[in-house]
Amino acid sequence: MALIAGLAGPAAAQTLRIGIGADPNMLDPARSSGFVERVVFTALCDRLVDVGPDLAFRPELATAWAWEDGGRTLRLTIRIDGRFHDGTVLDAASVKVNLDRYRTAPESLRRSELRPVTAVEAPDPTTVLIRLSEPYAPLLSVLSDRAGMIMSPAALARMGNRIAEDPVCSGPFRLVRRVAQERIELERVAEHWNAANIHVQRLVILPIPDNSVRLLNLRAGQLDLIERIAPSDVEGARRAPRMAVREATSIAYQLLYINQAGALRDGRVRRAFELSIDRGIINQVALQGLFVPSNQPEPPGTAFHFADLPIPARDVEAAKALLREAGTPNPEFTLLTPNSPVESQVAEIMQSMAAEAGFRLRIVTMEASSIVTRAHARQYDAAFGIWSGRADPDGNIAAWVASDGFLNRTGYANAAVDAAFIAARQATDQAERQRHYRGAAAQWLADRPVMILYHYRWFWGLRAGITGFEPSPDGLIRFSGLRLPPG
């Protein structure tokens, strides 16, 4: 891919040009499931609650919140100066419309996240009461993501299920133009409640899957900000003139998810595959040792990582024995891989290691959005996924392995795992929550519907002179306070 063109010059002086790793698949918070969509939504759609760099919740559309009724009601105070991009007022009634859609609409992927919600009430323009069937500890974390993004009820009524074509939200930027696979253009909303801290007039977001091409365009001055610098490029980027590298410890992780009705449907074969690979080697060879090998959704050393459930050591002979026991000494399967050099190299390393145990792994490279489409249709054996991480442990795993999880693309269902998640959500004591999540982890780690490979560190590249960029563990770009260099 050549250098991008048509973005330089005086007309672009107040335009922030951002390179992201893939083209967003669905700009509707109800149906979105991709990480890059969250990057766009940060500019486009305010949320009820935001998450700070310290992973603490902070106000956004909700200026205050309080638990009532023994944890069965969450009271939100809605800001009085919110406006949608179509000029209509954002109030408690509009919040109710969105939350009711997210928890009941057939197309909504947010239904499982909001399952404990029994009613949403708007007794006055600034008050929302969320009623729950039982205490639900992850709710604030849920409202800090897509289930807390509030769209214009007028636009929802007008567009219906086609709202992704014209997403009307209340964020600091409004959508002006989208060309699929090419660019997304947004402009600053002068009436936004936080407009005084939004200093960029225009955003141009360009999907560039190749990490090296994104970096090349940044170094050439065709981009101002890029996400996810490849580990192999980090040191060179740090030394490059006219640019800066910012980084943050990440709550994101890379995983493989596995179709339980596909070529790896036998649990012994899945176990053999895990025994055939070495996460440490993957990290050293493909990731320059910069990431954190892991088999769990929470990073090592954190409260909900369980050290007594360690990464299995590589054991090729044990893998071969399991394949013989399963009657498939040379199983074949396809791994759907994003067209990114990093994931491609990781896939090739696993292909080589697994071959020593007898696996015949075929790598199929495609756009990330195409992988999601194939996965939802269960037309795959195994696929790469990235999870950007959440501030609550439930949001880091239940979506993938709970039987009703909105990212459960594998067909996995285990009643004991589901019961452990339900119990953990209802508990407020950390030790009790740890016990339940550990019980769930022991089961799903043994069943292997997903295999977590490593935790990320986020690396962003910025044009020299950009100020106000605040790295965040969730990998998202916040625009408040961000300034382009003068001139």
Side-chain angles (χ1 to χ4, degrees):
M1 179 177 177
L3 289 174
I4 55 177
L7 293 176
Q14 287 301 311
T15 297
L16 180 69
R17 303 158 301 176
I18 303 173
I20 63 175
D23 190 51
N25 183 48
M26 179 62 64
L27 293 183
D28 174 4
R31 293 182 288 167
S32 165
S33 62
F35 169 70
V36 291
E37 292 151 16
R38 296 182 73 221
V39 176
V40 177
F41 283 140
T42 304
L44 186 65
C45 298
D46 285 336
R47 293 161 291 182
L48 289 167
V49 181
D50 194 12
V51 177
D54 59 355
L55 298 180
F57 299 117
R58 59 187 186 185
E60 195 156 286
L61 292 178
T63 59
W65 51 84
W67 290 102
E68 300 175 349
D69 188 27
R72 289 178 171 81
T73 297
L74 180 64
R75 176 184 292 268
L76 302 176
T77 301
I78 305 302
R79 63 172 53 256
I80 61 174
D81 52 355
R83 293 290 185 278
F84 293 109
H85 299 158
D86 58 9
T88 56
V89 174
L90 191 157
D91 58 9
S94 57
V95 173
K96 172 177 167 55
V97 168
N98 280 264
L99 292 181
D100 283 343
R101 176 183 181 234
Y102 291 145
R103 71 187 184 89
T104 64
E107 73 273 13
S108 175
L109 298 179
R110 312 281 78 86
R111 284 181 295 166
S112 62
E113 300 172 294
L114 295 170
R115 188 174 300 279
V117 177
T118 58
V120 180
E121 301 170 10
D124 61 63
T126 63
T127 303
V128 171
L129 300 174
I130 302 177
R131 308 290 190 185
L132 303 168
S133 57
E134 66 269 328
Y136 184 46
L139 183 57
L140 279 175
S141 180
V142 168
L143 298 179
S144 73
D145 189 31
R146 283 161 283 208
M149 296 176 185
I150 308 304
M151 307 185 84
S152 163
L156 286 169
R158 173 172 54 87
M159 297 295 293
N161 287 345
R162 295 171 49 239
I163 190 66
E165 299 172 17
D166 185 17
V168 180
C169 283
S170 65
F173 296 88
R174 63 167 57 89
L175 181 66
V176 174
R177 178 171 175 253
R178 180 179 186 185
V179 181
Q181 307 296 330
E182 182 180 321
R183 67 178 58 199
I184 297 172
E185 299 178 13
L186 304 101
E187 66 179 10
R188 177 178 176 272
V189 178
E191 302 80 17
H192 188 259
W193 57 269
N194 193 36
N197 294 313
I198 304 298
H199 308 296
V200 175
Q201 297 301 315
R202 186 166 172 262
L203 300 180
V204 178
I205 301 176
L206 298 112
I208 305 174
D210 191 305
N211 300 322
S212 298
V213 173
R214 285 202 305 278
L215 180 59
L216 176 65
N217 277 281
L218 176 64
R219 297 181 69 167
Q222 299 299 312
L223 291 173
D224 303 300
L225 173 60
I226 62 172
E227 62 153 359
R228 284 185 275 175
I229 297 176
S232 59
D233 292 330
V234 168
E235 285 307 311
R238 284 172 173 159
R239 295 191 299 267
R242 300 183 300 279
M243 67 170 286
V245 175
R246 303 293 302 277
E247 62 187 86
T249 300
S250 176
I251 54 176
Y253 60 79
Q254 185 77 53
L255 78 159
L256 298 182
Y257 51 92
I258 300 168
N259 186 350
Q260 302 297 282
L264 299 178
R265 58 187 173 274
D266 190 314
R268 293 168 295 184
V269 177
R270 295 194 298 276
R271 183 183 173 200
F273 177 69
E274 183 167 32
L275 290 173
S276 76
I277 65 173
D278 188 316
R279 291 166 170 87
I281 291 175
I282 291 170
N283 185 45
Q284 291 299 322
V285 175
L287 309 170
Q288 309 300 302
L290 294 173
F291 291 177
V292 182
S294 183
N295 65 332
Q296 297 178 42
E298 300 289 326
T302 57
F304 291 90
H305 179 94
F306 306 107
D308 62 335
L309 299 173
I311 297 172
R314 189 178 190 228
D315 190 335
V316 173
E317 293 307 314
K320 289 179 178 177
L322 281 166
L323 293 180
R324 288 194 298 269
E325 180 184 321
T328 55
N330 299 109
E332 300 182 14
F333 74 97
T334 297
L335 173 60
L336 304 186
T337 304
N339 58 345
S340 158
V342 173
E343 281 90 344
S344 294
Q345 187 177 10
V346 170
E348 290 167 2
I349 293 170
M350 290 196 299
Q351 182 185 52
S352 176
M353 288 191 291
E356 296 179 27
F359 284 94
R360 297 171 180 169
L361 190 166
R362 186 169 70 94
I363 300 169
V364 174
T365 303
M366 59 178 60
E367 292 286 339
S369 58
S370 299
I371 292 176
V372 171
T373 299
R374 287 271 297 271
H376 278 307
R378 303 275 169 84
Q379 297 173 350
Y380 78 105
D381 293 323
F384 271 109
I386 178 175
W387 187 239
S388 53
R390 299 295 183 271
D392 185 273
D394 192 79
N396 283 331
I397 189 58
W400 292 99
V401 302
S403 59
D404 62 352
F406 75 92
L407 291 174
N408 187 334
R409 302 162 181 165
T410 67
Y412 176 70
N414 185 297
V417 171
D418 289 345
F421 287 149
I422 291 170
R425 291 166 189 156
Q426 296 176 9
T428 56
D429 177 72
Q430 178 165 295
E432 185 178 357
R433 297 192 83 202
Q434 287 172 321
R435 179 170 60 83
H436 292 306
Y437 285 119
R438 194 232 173 259
Q443 186 64 60
W444 66 257
L445 282 168
D447 293 340
R448 296 174 180 82
V450 302
M451 293 182 193
I452 294 168
L453 301 175
Y454 50 81
H455 280 269
Y456 282 79
R457 282 188 63 79
W458 293 119
F459 297 97
W460 294 268
L462 288 76
R463 180 160 63 97
I466 290 179
T467 59
F469 176 78
E470 191 172 29
S472 178
D474 63 11
L476 302 181
I477 301 168
R478 270 75 174 184
F479 297 95
S480 182
L482 194 153
R483 292 179 184 268
L484 289 165

